[in-house]
Amino acid sequence: GVQEHLARVAGNAYVAMATQHFVNAMLNQHEQPAVLSAATKLKLTGAMREVVNDGMDVLGGAGICQGPANFLGAAYTSVPIAITVEGANTLTRSLIVFGQGLNRSHPHVLDIVKSVHAGDDLDGFRAHTLKLVAHAATNAARSAALGVARRRGRGSGSAADVIAYHESQLNRLAANFALLSDATLAMGGKLKFAEFISGRMADVFCNLYMGYATLWFASKQGNVPGAHKVVDFALSRLLVESQEAMDGVLRNMPVPLVGTLTAQLIFPLGRTPYAPPTDELTREVAQLLASPGPVRELFKESVFLSSDEQDRMTMLDRALPLCVRADEVLKSLRRERRQATAQEQALIDEAEALRDVIVQVDSFERLGREIDMPASWTASDRPAYDALAGDGVSGTA
C-alpha cells in the first residue's frame, strides 16, 4: 500500500524535476516556449496534486493535525491555488494546449488559413492543401511502420536498454500523435468546440513533451545508480496515459470512418501495447525513495532543508540514515543472539529518541481566542463546559 504511494511520488517528482530543468534550458537559450510553458504549468501542478495526496495517505492522521510539526498540511490546502491561478488547468487543457498549438505548430495549416484570408489566393490554397495531404500520407506511413517496428523489450534491464526502449516508444507515439492531429482536421471548425477531444490530444502532447524531457534529463545526470528504475516507472505510466488518451480520441471521432481508419494506422497490432509498471518495479522504486542513496540525493537537490535542527523536514532527513543503521544493528543482534555493544546501544537509543519525536503531532493547551486569555485561564473555562448538566462546573443543573 505505502509502496504504491512512494513509487508514484518518485515518478512524478522525477518527471517534474526533468521538465523544470528542460524548460530552464530553453529559457537560458532565450527561447519563448509559450505553449510549452502552458503545458508545463498544467501537468506539473496536476502532478503536484497527486504527490501531495499520496503524501497525505502516507502521513495519515499526522497530515491533518495542523501545527509546526505538520510539514505537508499547508501544501495540501494550497493545492487549489496552483490548479486554478495563472491559467485554470481545465481551460488550459481543453482549449489552449492543443487548440492553439495545432494552428501554430502544424507546418501547413497556418499557410492554408492565410491563403483563405487573402481572398483570391487560389493557387496558394491548392499548393498548401496538397502539401497538407502529402504530409498526412507521410505521417500515416511512419505511424504504421513504427507501430510494427518499435522496440519490444528492455533487453537486460540496464540503464542504456531502458532509455533505448522508452525512446523508441516515444518516437512511435510522436508519429501517432502527428497522424492523429491530421485526422482531427477533418472535423473542421467543430474541433474548436470539441473540448473532450482537444483535452485528450493535449494530454498526449504533454506526455510526449515530458517524456522527452525525462530522457534528456536522465542523459544529463549520467549514471546515477538506480535512477533508470525511476525513469522506467515514470515513463511507463506516461505511455499508458498517452495510449488511453489516443484511444479515447479515436473512439469518439465524430467524422464517420476517420477514427476507424486512423486506428488501423496508429494501433496496427492492437490497442493495448503498453501496460502499467509491474509490482516488482513499483517495489524497487519505492525502496529507492525510502533508502539512503544516490537517488534520494538527486531528489534532495530541489528540496529546501532548514539549518534549524528542530525543523521537521530536517529531522526527517537526518533520521532516515540513522534509523536504517539502527535497524540493521537490531537485525544483527537478533540473528547473532547477543547484546549490543555500548556504541551500538548509543546508536539505537539516538535513533529511537529521534523517531519518538518525529511521530508526535502538535498539541496546544489554548486555541483561537483562548491564546489571549489571562494567565489564570484554564481549560475548564471553555463555554462547552457550560453544556454539561449536573457536573458542578457551571453551577447550574
Side-chain angles (χ1 to χ4, degrees):
V2 171
Q3 288 181 329
E4 292 182 74
H5 297 298
L6 291 178
R8 280 198 299 266
V9 167
N12 279 322
Y14 193 95
V15 171
M17 187 163 49
T19 305
Q20 173 200 345
H21 282 265
F22 192 64
V23 171
N24 288 342
M26 287 189 284
L27 295 177
N28 286 338
Q29 297 296 321
H30 307 290
E31 299 289 345
Q32 297 178 340
V35 174
L36 291 183
S37 296
T40 300
K41 189 270 179 184
L42 165 66
K43 285 300 181 178
L44 295 198
T45 53
M48 178 267 293
R49 174 163 53 186
E50 187 174 26
V51 166
V52 172
N53 286 341
D54 280 325
M56 292 292 283
D57 284 333
V58 173
L59 283 180
I64 62 172
C65 297
Q66 290 287 47
N70 188 344
F71 57 89
L72 197 56
Y76 183 79
T77 56
S78 65
V79 163
I81 300 174
I83 297 296
T84 58
V85 175
E86 296 298 334
N89 283 6
T90 299
L91 174 67
T92 302
R93 176 179 178 269
S94 300
L95 297 176
I96 304 299
V97 173
F98 183 72
Q100 291 189 3
L102 177 62
N103 288 338
R104 292 294 176 182
S105 61
H106 196 284
H108 306 298
V109 168
L110 192 58
D111 291 331
I112 292 176
V113 173
K114 289 179 179 178
S115 65
V116 171
H117 285 174
D120 57 354
D121 188 10
L122 184 58
D123 291 338
F125 176 79
R126 288 174 177 170
H128 294 309
T129 301
L130 289 175
K131 290 180 180 178
L132 175 64
V133 173
H135 177 75
T138 301
N139 286 340
R142 187 165 182 267
S143 177
L146 291 179
V148 174
R150 67 184 177 88
R151 184 165 177 153
R152 289 298 191 276
R154 293 165 174 79
S156 64
S158 66
D161 285 340
V162 167
I163 295 299
Y165 169 80
H166 284 290
E167 185 176 7
S168 173
Q169 310 316 309
L170 289 175
N171 290 341
R172 176 264 177 102
L173 289 177
N176 296 159
F177 178 77
L179 174 61
L180 195 54
S181 297
D182 289 333
T184 59
L185 293 175
M187 297 173 59
K190 293 181 180 179
L191 178 60
K192 184 177 181 180
F193 306 100
E195 296 182 19
F196 288 165
I197 288 179
S198 182
R200 293 187 183 102
M201 292 296 288
D203 290 339
V204 180
F205 172 81
C206 292
N207 287 344
L208 286 170
Y209 155 56
M210 293 190 302
Y212 280 116
T214 299
L215 293 181
W216 172 85
F217 182 71
S219 68
K220 293 293 183 181
Q221 291 302 309
N223 187 24
V224 178
H228 68 286
K229 297 287 186 180
V230 184
V231 171
D232 193 10
F233 179 90
L235 292 185
S236 294
R237 295 184 70 212
L238 292 183
L239 293 179
V240 173
E241 292 172 10
S242 300
Q243 169 186 273
E244 292 177 350
M246 285 194 293
D247 185 58
V249 172
L250 293 168
R251 291 181 183 277
N252 292 278
M253 185 70 70
V255 183
L257 297 181
V258 171
T260 303
L261 295 176
T262 305
Q264 300 304 314
L265 297 170
I266 289 180
F267 300 120
L269 301 180
R271 289 178 181 261
T272 56
Y274 302 123
T278 63
D279 291 349
E280 181 181 359
L281 180 59
T282 300
R283 282 192 293 268
E284 291 176 341
V285 172
Q287 191 61 36
L288 286 169
L289 193 63
S291 305
V295 171
R296 273 187 62 87
E297 293 302 313
L298 177 63
F299 284 126
K300 281 172 59 177
E301 291 180 5
S302 301
V303 176
F304 169 75
L305 292 175
S306 173
S307 58
D308 180 7
E309 292 192 358
Q310 299 305 311
D311 178 79
R312 189 51 58 97
M313 287 291 293
T314 302
M315 293 176 67
L316 283 167
D317 183 62
R318 181 163 60 93
L320 178 64
L322 188 66
C323 290
V324 168
R325 293 201 306 272
D327 287 344
E328 290 173 351
V329 169
L330 289 170
K331 290 179 182 178
S332 177
L333 295 177
R334 287 193 295 268
R335 184 173 59 253
E336 299 172 9
R337 298 181 180 181
R338 63 178 178 85
Q339 296 295 317
T341 64
Q343 184 177 5
E344 290 172 336
Q345 190 60 51
L347 174 64
I348 294 171
D349 292 343
E350 183 183 2
E352 287 300 325
L354 191 55
R355 182 159 24 204
D356 184 62
V357 172
I358 289 175
V359 299
Q360 302 301 319
V361 298
D362 292 295
S363 61
F364 306 93
E365 293 185 2
R366 299 188 179 195
L367 299 173
R369 63 180 183 178
E370 298 171 356
I371 297 174
D372 299 321
M373 293 293 184
S376 60
W377 180 91
T378 64
S380 62
D381 296 324
R382 286 181 175 142
Y385 278 85
D386 294 339
L388 301 177
D391 59 0
V393 174
S394 63
T396 62

